[in-house]
Amino acid sequence: MKQNLDYKLIIALAAVGIVWGTTFLGIKVAVETIPPWFVTSIRQGLAGLIMMTILLFKKELEWIGWENFKQQLIASVLMLVIANGFTTIAEQNIPSGLASVINALTPILIFLGSIMFGLQKMSLKGFTGVIIGFSGVVFIFKDGLVSFLDANYRTGMMFMGFAILAWAAGTIYTKTHANKSKNITLNLFYQFTIASCIQLVLASIFSPNPDFSSWSSRSIFAALYLSIFGSVIAFFCYNYALKHVTAVQVSILSYINTIIAVFLGWLLLDEIITIDFIIATALIILGVFIVNYKKKEKKAV
């Protein structure tokens, strides 16, 4: 019997790849005038309110029990507080392109972690696809790789290092608990609310006297965009995808994010797309294809 395409999954994966490709630019604009912990707290807080509104409308807002709450707490701290928060802090010190390169290491960490925790078997095909995809990302930014040696970028790079480790750990943790709770919206409501509360406390500690009048409308709009698209839509799609495909297959979208980020630079900031970018794009697409390609099984006669 021919297997039907899962269009919901295709849309979810496309949304993750495209939307999160825009968030590096969004974060960079948001932190121009808003302290990073306030950016993340606003982002997750508004996302939590949107999820709560949906749940109230569907009459599905309820207590999830301590066991599930613990799972959402761990996922929230790893993926939203640390990974998302530290990426936002990092972009105060490093270019969004460099942040994108470091972030592109995530699929390699998730690939190794998935093998370590038995989520998938070690395969030459998977490893080759991940490495080819990453080489494409490096190829895009090869002229800017000297940024790694810049002393001014060390703090930002350190935060990005912690961010990608936390994201990889959170993805693997979410995957191992993916089927234990069916209501993604309810889970995300708790994750966003927990993260926003923690980040608001951190904002009050690290930016105790914020000058709200200095927050530009451009930065506020970026924070709202990050909340609605970067959090609500993309996180819902990411969690949906994790229920249906492997953690590595979802994480490989980090490479697509880089293509989107560079494309937006060309579209909005008049940056030039070179032959290097075209070669790099081909490498990234090849890497994604290798990781996801499966031979058709022959029908038994």
Side-chain angles (χ1 to χ4, degrees):
M1 218 175 132
K2 192 177 177 182
Q3 192 175 7
N4 292 326
L5 282 172
D6 186 344
Y7 290 106
K8 286 183 181 177
L9 178 60
I10 292 168
I11 292 168
L13 291 169
V16 172
I18 294 167
V19 172
W20 275 343
T22 67
T23 54
F24 286 100
L25 179 64
I27 290 170
K28 193 71 180 172
V29 172
V31 297
E32 283 175 353
T33 60
I34 305 175
W37 285 119
F38 274 107
V39 171
T40 57
S41 183
I42 292 167
R43 176 178 176 175
Q44 315 312 347
L46 181 57
L49 284 173
I50 293 170
M51 289 300 186
M52 184 176 73
T53 304
I54 294 168
L55 290 165
L56 285 170
F57 180 75
K58 295 170 73 176
K59 296 181 180 177
E60 292 178 353
L61 185 62
E62 61 185 19
W63 172 241
I64 53 175
W66 286 110
E67 184 60 32
N68 193 11
F69 180 80
K70 183 188 77 174
Q71 292 168 9
Q72 303 316 316
L73 173 66
I74 293 169
S76 177
V77 169
L78 288 171
M79 301 182 80
L80 296 174
V81 177
I82 300 176
N84 190 255
F86 282 13
T87 299
T88 306
I89 292 171
E91 287 207 44
Q92 281 191 311
N93 300 296
I94 62 175
S96 56
L98 180 57
S100 180
V101 171
I102 298 171
N103 184 66
L105 285 165
T106 308
I108 297 174
L109 294 176
I110 291 175
F111 178 74
L112 296 172
S114 294
I115 292 166
M116 194 184 302
F117 289 95
L119 288 176
Q120 70 177 65
K121 293 176 182 176
M122 176 66 183
S123 72
L124 182 62
K125 178 174 80 76
F127 182 73
T128 303
V130 168
I131 295 299
I132 288 175
F134 179 68
S135 69
V137 174
V138 173
F139 205 86
I140 290 177
F141 294 104
K142 68 181 189 335
D143 294 333
L145 290 179
V146 289
S147 300
F148 281 99
L149 304 175
D150 191 321
N152 294 326
Y153 291 161
R154 281 176 193 160
T155 303
M157 287 163 58
M158 180 186 71
F159 275 111
M160 278 304 301
F162 284 122
I164 63 172
L165 282 169
W167 185 265
T171 297
I172 291 167
Y173 181 82
T174 302
K175 180 63 182 175
T176 56
H177 296 83
N179 298 317
K180 295 188 178 179
S181 178
K182 302 293 182 187
N183 195 332
I184 296 174
T185 308
L186 189 61
N187 289 345
L188 286 176
F189 162 71
Y190 279 95
Q191 285 185 31
F192 290 140
T193 305
I194 291 165
S196 182
C197 291
I198 295 171
Q199 289 164 339
L200 191 58
V201 171
L202 291 169
S204 65
I205 293 169
F206 293 103
S207 306
N209 300 302
D211 180 9
F212 296 112
S213 63
S214 69
W215 294 10
S216 69
S217 55
R218 171 182 156 104
S219 290
I220 292 168
F221 179 77
L224 294 176
Y225 174 82
L226 289 169
S227 178
I228 296 166
F229 289 90
S231 288
V232 174
I233 294 173
F235 268 91
F236 183 89
C237 292
Y238 192 77
N239 279 266
Y240 178 86
L242 278 177
K243 283 178 173 284
H244 295 83
V245 293
T246 70
V248 174
Q249 285 173 317
V250 179
S251 71
I252 204 85
L253 291 165
S254 298
Y255 299 154
I256 304 299
N257 294 346
T258 305
I259 297 175
I260 299 295
V262 175
F263 174 74
L264 285 174
W266 167 76
L267 186 67
L268 303 176
L269 305 174
D270 296 323
E271 293 176 358
I272 299 167
I273 289 183
T274 62
I275 189 70
D276 285 355
F277 174 72
I278 296 167
I279 294 169
T281 302
L283 285 170
I284 290 168
I285 292 170
L286 177 62
V288 172
F289 175 77
I290 291 171
V291 168
N292 290 280
Y293 177 73
K294 289 180 181 176
K295 287 182 181 178
K296 288 183 180 178
E297 292 181 6
K298 291 181 179 179
K299 291 180 182 177
V301 179

